[in-house]
Amino acid sequence: GGGESHCPRDASYKDGTLQVDLMGMDGVIGVQETEEGWLALVEPRVTMQTLVRATLPYGLMPPVVPEFRHITVGGAIAGIAGESGSFRHGFFHDAIAGMEVVLGDGNIVTATADNEFSDLFFALPGSYGTLGIITAVTIRLVAAKPFVAMSYEHFDDVLEFALHLANGEKREDLDFLEGIGFSSSSLVACEGRMVDTESAQSGIFGDVRRLN
Ligand SMILES: Cc1cc2nc3c(=O)[nH]c(=O)nc-3n(C[C@H](O)[C@H](O)[C@H](O)COP(=O)(O)OP(=O)(O)OC[C@H]3O[C@@H](n4cnc5c(N)ncnc54)[C@H](O)[C@@H]3O)c2cc1C
């Protein structure tokens, strides 16, 4: 993390380990349409802000964008990250198509879900830098619209609130969903929908703000 880590975990597990400085590896290598759909190829220190700024001009975004803008791609994979798109798309790493990894013996491998390094591919998320150093990542992208319209629903019953969130996946109109509990009797479901224009939707759904 180079002193910029957002990881809330006690870092003592790194005591006595070899530290490798990745600070220069913060470039977006490309955004490209392939046989597998639109992909972004990035270095691991690319932040969520930089990533989204590179993809939005194409009308695209990663399916899950952790909210804090300085979280990095490598940190979001190795430290696990989710966000309000996760109810539909899973974790940030569920959109990863492949990773270039430097192993402890110095070998450089490319791990995908179905090649000889698939065990590494599935073990890297949540491994906190213990299995290798991710040096490049291919991310699947989805369509984005320029605005997000938000609406908020209040609940005073935890079970009703939990069922509402659990059923979100079935609601095709929703792009973003998360809940905040202020107390066991004051809970709010925050629902977001991507929309094309500010004026057309704001009266229907409530506040609208720019995606970037
Ligand atoms: C203010 C704040 C807001 C947050 N918001 C969100 C949020 O909206 N959604 C969410 O899900 N989480 C959130 N988090 C948690 C955060 O996403 C995770 O802690 C994430 O792991 C931090 O990533 P980072 O880029 O800071 O990585 P770091 O803290 O630098 O790294 C995290 C772990 O990954 C390892 N690692 C980093 N890069 C690599 C690499 N290239 N190869 C191998 N291992 C690597 C590190 O060694 C470390 O163990 C937030 C945390 C804070 C403090």
Side-chain angles (χ1 to χ4, degrees):
E4 294 180 6
S5 171
H6 305 94
C7 189
R9 190 177 181 143
D10 174 7
S12 58
Y13 69 97
K14 287 182 182 289
D15 289 350
T17 62
L18 181 68
Q19 307 285 311
V20 179
D21 186 355
L22 300 179
M23 289 305 275
M25 302 193 75
D26 57 359
V28 174
I29 298 166
V31 176
Q32 199 174 328
E33 190 171 21
T34 71
E35 286 177 359
E36 289 182 56
W38 280 90
L39 301 173
L41 178 61
V42 303
E43 293 183 312
R45 291 291 304 175
V46 163
T47 63
M48 292 302 136
Q49 181 175 50
T50 302
L51 176 60
V52 171
R53 283 186 174 166
T55 62
L56 279 182
Y58 296 86
L60 300 165
M61 61 185 279
V64 173
V65 183
E67 174 193 349
F68 200 59
R69 64 185 65 182
H70 297 302
I71 289 171
T72 65
V73 167
I77 297 168
I80 296 276
E83 196 45 66
S84 52
S86 292
F87 79 103
R88 193 173 303 292
H89 299 291
F91 290 107
F92 177 80
H93 66 254
D94 286 319
I96 303 305
M99 289 177 268
E100 181 188 79
V101 187
V102 180
L103 302 177
D105 62 6
N107 278 320
I108 301 172
V109 302
T110 299
T112 70
D114 50 16
N115 73 1
E116 62 179 306
F117 299 106
S118 60
D119 55 348
L120 182 64
F121 178 84
F122 289 111
L124 275 166
S127 62
Y128 290 91
T130 57
L131 297 180
I133 295 173
I134 303 162
T135 47
V137 181
T138 307
I139 306 167
R140 290 192 196 91
L141 303 173
V142 297
K145 291 181 180 174
F147 296 96
V148 173
M150 292 299 302
S151 61
Y152 303 92
E153 191 165 343
H154 187 263
F155 293 82
D156 55 17
D157 179 85
V158 173
L159 186 59
E160 204 184 320
F161 175 67
L163 284 173
H164 181 82
L165 295 181
N167 286 328
E169 198 185 358
K170 296 178 197 149
R171 295 171 55 194
E172 288 183 11
D173 65 312
L174 280 190
D175 296 306
F176 307 102
L177 175 66
E178 62 182 56
I180 303 173
F182 297 102
S183 73
S184 59
S185 59
S186 181
L187 310 121
V188 178
C190 312
E191 304 183 348
R193 297 159 183 84
M194 289 194 269
V195 292
D196 287 311
T197 58
E198 185 167 9
S199 57
Q201 304 289 351
S202 56
I204 302 170
F205 294 128
D207 291 342
V208 176
R209 65 182 174 88
R210 281 190 181 277
L211 196 58
N212 58 350

